[in-house]
Amino acid sequence: METNVCQTVEVSSPSFQAGEEIPQKFTCDGEDINPALEIGDLPDNTLSLVLIVSDPDAPSGNWTHWLMWNIPPLHTIEEDSAPGTVGTNDFGNTQYGGPCPPIGTHRYFFRVYALDTTLTLKEGSRVEDVYQQMENHIVGAGQLMGVYSH
């Protein structure tokens, strides 16, 4: 799915460090709002960003917690904000759904993709549709992984 020229994009958060526990505030045990994300240098030809937050450790397989596209090429996604078009997550709604593992410790990946286009998808579209339209348009990508158990 990656293109031949795919620059690494740094993704971090002022709320937690890579590989560390995501604060309760950003989970189903807290306020269930998205943490702020900091996005590093983007490729010059970036027209939009895609953000996909998922849990590969979910019992049913890779669980999508948050899906957003057509985000302007910005360097900060503020806490409790949605600066793009929001898709339907695996909870069945169009908002951020924070970490809420049924048992054990799960990993949560905040993946950012820089695209050389914007997507022509309606709000509420599913992650499969986003992946399909992103194909051959990814010019940069990066991720931040945090963990949570409750």
Side-chain angles (χ1 to χ4, degrees):
M1 183 144 130
E2 303 292 306
T3 59
N4 291 342
V5 184
C6 187
Q7 178 177 318
T8 298
V9 175
E10 292 295 322
V11 181
S12 62
S13 175
S15 304
F16 65 97
Q17 298 297 308
E20 292 188 356
E21 178 128 348
I22 297 169
Q24 184 175 357
K25 174 181 185 178
F26 307 109
T27 74
C28 68
D29 295 322
E31 294 177 39
D32 211 11
I33 60 172
N34 67 281
L37 296 175
E38 302 290 335
I39 301 164
D41 290 338
L42 295 169
D44 291 340
N45 57 341
T46 301
L47 293 183
S48 71
L49 303 177
V50 171
L51 172 64
I52 300 172
V53 180
S54 60
D55 169 9
D57 303 317
S60 61
N62 202 26
W63 186 269
T64 301
H65 282 258
W66 200 24
L67 173 63
M68 191 169 26
W69 62 91
N70 291 351
I71 304 165
L74 43 72
H75 293 286
T76 302
I77 294 176
E78 300 293 339
E79 183 177 299
D80 195 21
S81 73
T85 304
V86 184
T88 301
N89 62 25
D90 285 337
F91 295 108
N93 60 52
T94 55
Q95 61 198 38
Y96 172 82
C100 198
I103 57 166
T105 300
H106 287 211
R107 296 169 298 152
Y108 298 88
F109 290 87
F110 293 75
R111 291 187 172 96
V112 174
Y113 299 92
L115 306 183
D116 64 2
T117 189
T118 55
L119 304 183
T120 57
L121 293 169
K122 296 182 307 208
E123 182 172 324
S125 294
R126 294 279 190 177
V127 70
E128 298 82 14
D129 301 317
V130 173
Y131 280 129
Q132 186 176 18
Q133 278 208 8
M134 283 176 19
E135 198 166 352
N136 300 318
H137 292 287
I138 301 170
V139 294
Q143 69 181 22
L144 170 65
M145 190 274 291
V147 297
Y148 189 69
S149 54
H150 76 132

